[in-house]
Amino acid sequence: METQNNQLVTVEGAQRYICTAIMAAEIPLAESITTSDSFRTESPMSSPWSPWQPDESQPWDLRRVVHLYRRAGFAGTWEELQRDLDEGVEASVDRFLNGEVAAQPWDRFEATAKVLSDSAVASGDAARLQAWWMFRMLRTADPLVERLTLMWHNHFATSVEKVTNLLFMRHQNDLLRRHAPGAFGELLHAVLKHPAMLVWLDADSNRRGRPNENLARELMELFTLGEGHYSEDDVREAAKCLTGWTTDRAGKFTIDQDQHEPGPKNVLGEDLESGDDLLALLLRSPPTANRWVWRLCQTFLGENVAGDTERGELAQILSGNDFHIGKTVEVILRSRIFFSAANIGTRVSSPAEFVVATVRRLGLQQNSPSTLILADTLAQMDQELFAPPNVFGWDEGRAWINSRTLVARANFIHALCHGQCHVPPVVLDPRVLVAEAEETTVSAAVLRQRLELLISGESAAASSNQQTTTSATHITQPQAVELAIELLSAPAAQLN
């Protein structure tokens, strides 16, 4: 078995890795949550969505700082984690909400990102557009918005393989980013009227007298109501509301009135005329809030952490916030359920989350590996940016875990730690995580502890405070690389 850079991962090693990771995936994660869990056992008047307050039994410790970075961003550097540990939970969450997370922000970030995206579109090479987004995820000072952009890219799935127009795909990505922390209604209108979505769901063939149901069906089933909350008659009538939706020669949304079906259309028991009438109806329908809350919980909470009761309460909060995404995300990130033990390390990382987090844990976000190689690596793990597999997007959670994708993860760690994701290849020395670049007197125990703390916020060595003659021995650069591979390939590094 070989990596793309011809570095071998032995069959025995891959099998060992697969077995341990699949065992981790088979842990019932949050299925074991019972009434003993902290966010469900306090006063009945205490909501799981009420603000979390640290105490002696649940302190604001490094474990929870790392948890915040893994869920609201991708991963924190040691400098960022230590800063937020010192400053407390309120200041740390504020930093994510305000887009001021980076300890060392780069003032040329947006200008550089624009150059990269413009050149990617001009080249006609989708791989370069994928690399641009990888660059954004690695270097942004606002990782929460990038996480939300990735979430909405999956919710409103479109693929460059059908759309074919890179400018449309780039503009749509920027649109998702711009609206990510704003109002749901504005986001829905903007996405549905964007040329990438209109092409993706065949809006041009939805014409007077010959309605095409693709856009209407996915609007109701995937984007708003969810299955079971509409009839086939509703889909047919909704499609008539959307007849004539198209783009002009400049790629801007327009309605061809000659192709719009006139007269009232009965959807969900109400008579409607236009596509905007339809969107207004769907936005005020209770199942829509439930659908969006499901997506938010899938992103920020572990498997089965929030049940029907918790999601129903959050849907009420969302409605009370006028369907404002940012305000609802703030409720989640400050909540008791978010910081509960049941929600820590109980969510399988997507390939994008895993790759970006790994690079950041090694402190490589500034001296970055090739983002072209990183984007290609995601595709090998079944998450090709700008090309979700179908209208349903990517299956998440445990669906990311299979023998093929786990081998891809193992090969990526091996190539990254050996400097082969850089162009040209470089020699990486993980010892610099705990020492200056010229310092080589680092023990295996100290490096292990630092890597474990970066990954999960916990370290067996730190908790036991064990020091042995062997562990205190200075570690060489090749040994440091092998230790990094071991820990970054472990099941704990696959979860967030």
Side-chain angles (χ1 to χ4, degrees):
M1 185 181 307
E2 291 185 319
T3 69
Q4 60 188 355
N5 294 297
N6 300 318
Q7 287 299 307
L8 294 176
V9 172
T10 67
V11 173
E12 180 183 1
Q15 288 175 334
R16 223 174 19 245
Y17 174 81
I18 292 167
C19 288
T20 55
I22 287 180
M23 284 175 63
E26 289 176 350
I27 293 173
L29 297 180
E31 289 176 356
S32 59
I33 293 174
T34 67
T35 54
S36 64
D37 291 305
S38 61
F39 67 86
R40 292 178 178 168
T41 57
E42 297 180 9
S43 164
M45 300 299 291
S46 182
S47 165
W49 304 109
S50 61
W52 176 75
Q53 296 294 332
D55 56 30
E56 289 186 5
S57 64
Q58 296 185 79
W60 175 246
D61 53 12
L62 190 60
R63 179 178 177 232
R64 285 185 168 82
V65 180
V66 169
H67 168 65
L68 174 63
Y69 270 81
R70 293 193 300 189
R71 290 287 174 85
F74 297 96
T77 65
W78 188 251
E79 183 180 3
E80 290 162 352
L81 297 176
Q82 292 301 306
R83 175 199 64 193
D84 286 7
L85 180 62
D86 291 340
E87 295 188 10
V89 62
E90 292 293 329
S92 301
V93 174
D94 284 346
R95 196 169 279 114
F96 274 94
L97 296 172
N98 296 330
E100 300 170 346
V101 173
Q104 299 181 31
W106 185 26
D107 59 4
R108 295 285 301 164
F109 170 71
E110 288 296 348
T112 303
K114 186 178 187 307
V115 170
L116 292 174
S117 66
D118 287 347
S119 62
V121 170
S123 74
D125 185 354
R128 291 182 62 180
L129 196 65
Q130 294 165 349
W132 160 71
W133 197 1
M134 289 300 304
F135 168 81
R136 291 198 63 95
M137 287 188 274
L138 283 169
R139 295 300 303 270
T140 181
D142 195 357
L144 176 59
V145 164
E146 291 303 321
R147 282 294 298 270
L148 289 170
T149 304
L150 189 62
M151 178 185 77
W152 292 127
H153 177 45
N154 197 28
H155 189 81
F156 298 108
T158 58
S159 173
V160 69
E161 293 183 4
K162 179 176 179 179
V163 176
T164 70
N165 188 310
L166 291 189
L167 184 61
F168 287 177
M169 297 302 293
R170 197 274 302 276
H171 282 170
Q172 185 192 52
N173 190 264
D174 285 337
L175 179 153
L176 295 175
R177 184 172 295 105
R178 187 167 59 252
H179 288 280
F184 276 116
E186 293 176 6
L187 172 65
L188 184 65
H189 274 266
V191 169
L192 261 290
K193 296 175 181 179
H194 191 273
M197 184 63 71
L198 296 175
V199 172
W200 173 244
L201 292 178
D202 308 304
D204 237 8
S205 61
N206 186 27
R207 302 183 176 190
R208 181 176 183 173
R210 296 183 290 114
N212 182 304
E213 298 175 2
N214 286 358
L215 183 60
R217 183 175 300 280
E218 308 317 339
L219 169 62
M220 301 177 82
E221 178 182 350
L222 301 179
F223 304 160
T224 57
L225 303 176
E227 286 185 303
H229 298 288
Y230 59 88
S231 68
E232 287 301 306
D233 286 341
D234 290 325
V235 173
R236 283 188 284 271
E237 293 294 288
K240 294 177 184 178
C241 292
L242 299 171
T243 49
W245 278 32
T246 187
T247 58
D248 60 21
R249 291 185 178 181
K252 294 185 178 181
F253 173 77
T254 187
I255 299 175
D256 184 346
Q257 294 296 340
D258 290 338
Q259 296 299 335
H260 180 69
E261 189 78 35
K265 299 93 176 170
N266 191 273
V267 182
L268 302 177
E270 294 193 24
D271 286 338
L272 310 175
E273 168 56 32
S274 68
D276 283 344
D277 292 341
L278 174 64
L279 294 183
L281 171 62
L282 297 177
L283 281 166
R284 65 176 182 266
S285 298
T288 295
N290 294 330
R291 176 72 177 169
W292 282 335
V293 159
W294 165 80
R295 181 65 76 182
L296 289 169
C297 288
Q298 183 187 58
T299 300
F300 294 107
L301 300 183
E303 210 175 286
N304 301 318
V305 169
D308 291 344
T309 300
E310 289 81 19
R311 289 196 299 271
E313 185 175 341
L314 186 62
Q316 292 179 344
I317 293 171
L318 175 65
S319 300
N321 283 332
D322 295 324
F323 294 92
H324 194 278
I325 305 163
K327 292 178 182 178
T328 308
V329 169
E330 179 176 2
V331 169
I332 295 172
L333 296 184
R334 296 194 190 280
S335 69
R336 293 169 55 240
I337 192 172
F338 180 80
F339 284 108
S340 68
N343 191 41
I344 298 176
T346 55
R347 181 179 176 278
V348 177
S349 297
S350 72
E353 294 160 1
F354 173 68
V355 167
V356 176
T358 302
V359 172
R360 289 183 57 79
R361 284 165 182 157
L362 288 174
L364 299 177
Q365 66 277 7
Q366 294 182 6
N367 178 26
S368 172
S370 163
T371 52
L372 280 167
I373 291 177
L374 296 183
D376 182 64
T377 297
L378 295 194
Q380 294 174 32
M381 299 177 191
D382 284 351
Q383 190 175 31
E384 185 175 1
L385 298 177
F386 296 104
N390 50 50
V391 293
F392 299 99
W394 295 288
D395 290 332
E396 298 206 73
R398 302 188 197 201
W400 294 123
I401 302 295
N402 61 58
S403 58
R404 180 174 51 79
T405 59
L406 286 169
V407 169
R409 291 187 182 213
N411 285 341
F412 160 67
I413 294 295
H414 189 275
L416 179 69
C417 291
H418 281 285
Q420 294 172 342
C421 290
H422 285 76
V423 177
V426 300
V427 176
L428 294 184
D429 191 348
R431 294 177 298 180
V432 301
L433 291 172
V434 291
E436 297 299 327
E438 67 273 9
E439 178 63 63
T440 59
T441 55
V442 174
S443 73
V446 170
L447 181 57
R448 176 179 290 274
Q449 177 180 319
R450 177 60 59 87
L451 284 167
E452 288 176 342
L453 292 174
L454 283 165
I455 291 169
S456 68
E458 297 180 297
S459 170
S463 60
S464 64
N465 201 28
Q466 292 178 347
Q467 290 290 335
T468 67
T469 303
T470 302
S471 66
T473 302
H474 295 165
I475 191 172
T476 65
Q477 182 270 339
Q479 290 171 331
V481 166
E482 293 308 311
L483 178 59
I485 291 172
E486 173 196 338
L487 296 177
L488 293 169
S489 300
Q494 317 298 317
L495 302 172
N496 68 37

